[in-house]
Amino acid sequence: MMEKTWRWFGKKDKITLPMLRQIGVEGIVTALHDVPNGEIWTVEAINDLKSYIESYGLRWSVVESLPVCEAIKYAGAEREQLIENYKVSLANLGKCGIRTVCYNFMPVIDWIRTDLQHPWPDGTSSLYYDRIRFAYFDIRILEREGAEKDYTEEELQKVAELDKVITDAEKDALIDTIIVKTQGFVNGNIKEGDKNPVSIFKRLLTLYKDIDRDALRENMRYFLSAIMPVCEEYGINMCVHPDDPPFQVLGLPRIVTNESDIEWFLNAVDNPHNGLTFCAGSLSAGEHNDTRELAKKFARRTHFVHLRSTAAMPGGNFIESSHLTGRGHLIDLIRIFEKENPGLPMRVDHGRMMLGDEDKGYNPGYSFHGRMLALAQVEGMMAVVDDEKERQMI
């Protein structure tokens, strides 16, 4: 069966390893979050954290993430040195027996939401993306040149109507949500406490003014080609996370958004160690994606699975849904992966913030009780699939 893992943010995480062991977690998904992006992960630092995890009867199953620096993505002057550092870090992970690395190749900004605690009728809350509020941030707060061209006339009219009623506090909350909290809680370009985050963000965007989809694809191919010999030597599986959400934003190229994108990067560096993190939540946020069909096609090149689900809403909005509902179709995905590539590490992702998460789920979207409920739901799904397999063998 799939290995039950949990994203854990290190020794300072309020959700402790004893808590995770008690709820049935088997593997840990983590990183050396205190090492600045681009610097080498030493064998000593890796082994220290690995031994700490193992002292609680758990294993370090997946690295999420060994960050790919911006200069690698836009091919800056530091690219060669940063890739060399990355190769050394990979080799050191391999020497320590850690062989699955989740990463992303999204320029400037990682995952995007406009509301971190959108209320549900039962009193829980979850992450939410409101296209008009995001357009407002893009056009009126960020004032990105040419932003209006990315939206319809109807959307521009709604932005103008929102401008009449939005408060300064709501504007500040949008900035905090879109470019600080969702980015800065781990390995981000912008951190909590940074002054003038909008100015910092605008400077980061300028780094990509001459980078289109083809250029970013070539830079990804270059990076993967450079690191594959190390991956082959140490048996390390690289698995890229899909863009979240899986469509173009802020004039930036996004290159892991759909079937053809996934097919492209797998073929560009056709090596079994070059694979996919199958994030059902990110992929399901795009109505152009059918997670079941994508799983069938790419299961053999998937090295890690994020089991979460989103529900599409009118106007291009989407919300983090229950793990039993939404467009993720998680029970179907479990059936597919257990048939095509059994035993993959999976982690339940996000879910809802519930009572008691106020002092534990301190990172955006990373609840304790909400994820614990999701883990129980996913365990139930896996049991159903296991029963089905047993019946087929009789």
Side-chain angles (χ1 to χ4, degrees), residues 29-98:
V29 178
T30 193
L32 299 184
H33 294 303
D34 56 335
V35 178
N37 289 3
E39 292 191 10
I40 290 172
W41 289 18
T42 65
V43 167
E44 292 75 19
I46 295 166
N47 269 331
D48 176 72
L49 187 58
K50 181 173 181 274
S51 297
Y52 181 80
I53 292 168
E54 290 174 349
S55 72
Y56 290 94
L58 300 164
R59 65 184 292 265
W60 187 352
S61 300
V62 180
V63 172
E64 185 174 355
S65 302
L66 180 56
V68 179
C69 292
E70 296 296 334
I72 294 175
K73 298 173 187 175
Y74 65 76
E78 321 95 296
R79 174 168 72 165
E80 296 305 322
Q81 185 58 57
L82 289 169
I83 290 178
E84 287 305 309
N85 289 358
Y86 203 99
K87 288 160 67 176
V88 174
S89 295
L90 283 178
N92 289 342
L93 284 165
K95 291 171 185 176
C96 296
I98 302 167

Side-chain angles (χ1 to χ4, degrees), residues 7-10 29-35 37 41 64-67 104 108 110-111 180-192 347 362-364 366:
R7 193 172 190 188
W8 176 72
F9 294 97
V29 178
T30 193
L32 299 184
H33 294 303
D34 56 335
V35 178
N37 289 3
W41 289 18
E64 185 174 355
S65 302
L66 180 56
N104 78 68
V108 180
D110 196 342
W111 52 288
V180 180
K181 277 197 167 63
T182 55
Q183 312 303 316
F185 78 99
V186 56
N187 295 122
N189 292 313
I190 298 174
K191 304 293 186 190
E192 293 273 1
R347 72 173 175 88
Y362 63 103
N363 287 325
Y366 290 97

Side-chain angles (χ1 to χ4, degrees), residues 272-328:
H273 295 291
N274 170 31
L276 175 68
T277 294
F278 195 100
C279 180
S282 298
L283 292 168
S284 65
E287 292 193 76
H288 54 280
N289 289 325
D290 183 325
T291 57
R292 296 161 294 189
E293 293 304 313
L294 292 174
K296 290 173 186 175
K297 184 164 186 176
F298 299 114
R300 298 298 178 90
R301 292 288 289 273
T302 294
H303 300 311
F304 183 33
V305 179
H306 287 181
L307 289 179
R308 48 178 278 252
S309 183
T310 57
M313 305 176 76
N317 303 341
F318 63 86
I319 193 166
E320 199 79 23
S321 70
S322 159
H323 288 67
L324 299 176
T325 61
R327 301 186 68 252

Side-chain angles (χ1 to χ4, degrees), residues 333-379:
L333 297 189
I334 292 169
R335 288 189 178 105
I336 293 165
F337 286 117
E338 280 301 301
K339 178 183 178 183
E340 300 294 336
N341 197 354
L344 286 173
M346 72 82 186
R347 72 173 175 88
V348 293
D349 220 351
H350 299 329
R352 300 188 189 181
M353 299 291 282
M354 302 175 69
L355 288 175
D357 279 329
E358 299 87 353
D359 64 340
K360 294 184 178 65
Y362 63 103
N363 287 325
Y366 290 97
S367 63
F368 176 61
H369 295 101
R371 280 192 287 168
M372 184 167 61
L373 172 63
L375 181 62
Q377 291 172 332
V378 168
E379 283 183 312

Side-chain angles (χ1 to χ4, degrees), residues 84-233:
E84 287 305 309
N85 289 358
Y86 203 99
K87 288 160 67 176
V88 174
S89 295
L90 283 178
N92 289 342
L93 284 165
K95 291 171 185 176
C96 296
I98 302 167
R99 296 192 168 86
T100 303
V101 176
C102 172
Y103 71 103
N104 78 68
F105 218 80
M106 290 177 260
V108 180
I109 194 164
D110 196 342
W111 52 288
I112 300 172
R113 301 294 186 274
T114 56
D115 189 347
L116 303 178
Q117 295 188 342
H118 191 80
W120 287 79
D122 62 3
T124 61
S125 65
S126 64
L127 304 173
Y128 183 71
Y129 176 87
D130 184 304
R131 181 166 172 80
I132 300 305
R133 285 187 172 263
F134 183 77
Y136 184 91
F137 166 82
D138 190 10
I139 297 168
R140 298 299 177 97
I141 296 176
L142 192 61
E143 297 179 327
R144 179 172 64 88
E145 184 178 353
E148 292 86 354
K149 298 175 184 176
D150 291 347
Y151 303 97
T152 66
E153 284 299 322
E154 182 182 359
E155 288 169 339
L156 293 175
Q157 181 59 40
K158 289 180 179 179
V159 167
E161 292 169 2
L162 177 60
D163 190 47
K164 297 175 184 177
V165 297
I166 193 170
T167 66
D168 288 341
E170 288 176 312
K171 295 176 188 178
D172 290 341
L174 272 179
I175 295 169
D176 193 47
T177 296
I178 295 172
I179 61 175
V180 180
K181 277 197 167 63
T182 55
Q183 312 303 316
F185 78 99
V186 56
N187 295 122
N189 292 313
I190 298 174
K191 304 293 186 190
E192 293 273 1
D194 282 344
K195 294 181 179 180
N196 302 314
V198 172
S199 297
I200 296 172
F201 192 71
K202 290 175 80 167
R203 287 199 299 272
L204 290 167
L205 290 179
T206 63
L207 297 170
Y208 289 86
K209 61 182 176 66
D210 297 321
I211 304 294
D212 59 13
R213 276 175 56 84
D214 288 341
L216 188 62
R217 277 182 162 184
E218 172 55 26
N219 294 344
M220 185 181 187
R221 186 205 61 76
Y222 185 91
F223 166 71
L224 288 170
S225 296
I227 66 171
M228 277 301 112
V230 178
C231 294
E232 289 182 335
E233 182 178 356

